[in-house]
Amino acid sequence: MQEDSHSYNSLRILSHTGKGYIGQCHCCTHFNFAYGNVLFVFTEDGLRGFQSILYDQYHMQSVGEALPHGKTHLLPSPIPNFMLSFDDTELEEIRTMFQEALLVLEVDKIFSYKK
């Protein structure tokens, strides 16, 4: 793992739940999406792209019968045989987090444009 000079404690939290958050790094302006035990780091375009995937039936696959741990949605990754799995509640919570975070970014753009 590459070591860098920024701290994961220097985030502007854009949205959060009991299981995760979306935050913007003050140092590099990248975005962290943490949920459960996963952490993704995105550019703003990547953040928007991931949000669109959450609604895309081609990428987000629903299984007919729940997996043994109750998950009913699978998101394949570019890594072979590696998928993220969610239940209905988790998927809705994640979608809401992305909507809130992107709304905050849009408000930021509106106010910075008026200056």
Side-chain angles (χ1 to χ4, degrees):
M1 188 161 149
Q2 183 178 345
E3 210 174 301
D4 50 30
S5 62
H6 71 277
S7 165
Y8 288 101
N9 293 325
S10 66
L11 295 175
R12 173 185 175 213
I13 302 300
L14 304 174
S15 181
H16 68 91
T17 68
K19 290 186 177 183
Y21 65 87
I22 297 175
Q24 183 177 20
C25 180
H26 292 296
C27 304
C28 66
T29 67
H30 278 86
F31 297 87
N32 289 358
F33 163 56
Y35 194 83
N37 64 347
V38 296
L39 171 66
F40 291 94
V41 179
F42 295 116
T43 62
E44 185 173 343
D45 286 344
L47 188 75
R48 292 180 187 283
F50 191 80
Q51 190 232 10
S52 69
I53 286 172
L54 294 173
Y55 290 92
D56 185 344
Q57 291 179 345
Y58 175 75
H59 289 98
M60 184 62 70
Q61 302 169 3
S62 294
V63 295
E65 187 175 325
L67 299 173
H69 63 323
K71 309 296 181 173
T72 54
H73 303 281
L74 298 175
L75 179 60
S77 79
I79 302 168
N81 301 316
F82 181 79
M83 299 180 198
L84 300 175
S85 61
F86 309 102
D87 62 28
D88 289 338
T89 303
E90 291 169 333
L91 184 56
E92 189 56 37
E93 188 173 62
I94 291 168
R95 286 174 171 167
T96 299
M97 287 172 52
F98 272 81
Q99 289 170 351
E100 290 174 357
L102 292 172
L103 182 60
V104 170
L105 294 178
E106 289 305 312
V107 169
D108 285 352
K109 287 179 182 176
I110 290 168
F111 281 110
S112 67
Y113 178 74
K114 290 185 175 190
K115 287 183 180 179

